[in-house]
Amino acid sequence: MTMSEGAVPSLSEFLSLGWARLIAGATSPEAAARHPTLGTFGLSGWPEMRSVVLRRADPDAAILEVHTDVASEKVSELRENGHAGLHVWDPAEALQIRLRGRMQEIPRKDLPDIWEKVPAHARKVYGGHPYPGYAIHSPNDYTDDPQIDRFAVLRLSVEEIELLLIDPEKHKRAVFRRVDGFAGQWIAP
């Protein structure tokens, strides 16, 4: 789904465009939404942002999933404060997608089925020595050691989606909130 320049979509069409781009990110390595920026509250009090790989987008449940190493700092941050955001810039659509919600680890008992679907080349980032973020002398001072015990799936329960379409004729911006069933509200760009 794409928006033609100057067209005024309905709120539901606009929301569908956002979800379509997120679904593309979860299913296609070439999609702009494949690598959203995750924002968390850092343990130091500073905001933390990093790129993650979008692995699942479910508009019906309003959830997004990313995978990570359980030893990464983002997991500790989210255990302390589960409020998080994801940001996507989609240049093909000139669309910014901002998502806010609560992010939690899915239960460990549910990981084996997901782990089996992770390609072998991708598993190597879930494990390794030393842990993520530890100082090393050179890039070669790190050993891959894929382990399901170091694998985590983080699920964002989307509470709010904000879309901004950069249109040369007139920008379009709307916010959609879970509390009103994602009905949406146009807001000034």
Side-chain angles (χ1 to χ4, degrees), residues 38-43 50 68-84 101-108 111 131 148-155:
L38 169 64
T40 59
F41 291 92
L43 298 175
R50 74 277 282 160
T68 193
D69 186 324
V70 78
S72 69
E73 196 168 292
K74 68 179 133 325
V75 173
S76 297
E77 293 166 355
L78 290 164
R79 286 175 177 167
E80 183 74 22
N81 182 341
H83 292 101
R102 186 146 185 85
M103 189 169 270
Q104 297 179 314
E105 292 174 70
I106 70 163
R108 306 289 312 156
L111 293 181
Y131 281 175
I148 192 171
D149 291 343
R150 292 272 299 276
F151 180 60
V153 176
L154 303 176
R155 181 175 291 160

Side-chain angles (χ1 to χ4, degrees), residues 168-182:
E169 291 188 31
K170 188 168 271 211
H171 296 353
K172 294 158 187 68
R173 184 176 174 201
V175 63
F176 304 85
R177 294 183 176 100
R178 183 183 292 272
V179 296
D180 65 4
F182 295 104

Side-chain angles (χ1 to χ4, degrees), residues 56-75:
R56 182 172 170 232
D58 182 343
D60 295 329
I63 61 167
L64 300 169
E65 287 181 358
V66 300
H67 299 171
T68 193
D69 186 324
V70 78
S72 69
E73 196 168 292
K74 68 179 133 325
V75 173

Side-chain angles (χ1 to χ4, degrees), residues 1 8-9 45 50 71-72 85-87 90 92 109-110 113 130 141 143 156 161 171 176:
M1 170 182 265
V8 179
R50 74 277 282 160
S72 69
L86 287 171
H87 175 269
D90 188 327
K109 67 179 177 57
D110 296 337
D113 289 339
D141 293 342
T143 305
L156 181 73
I161 303 172
H171 296 353
F176 304 85

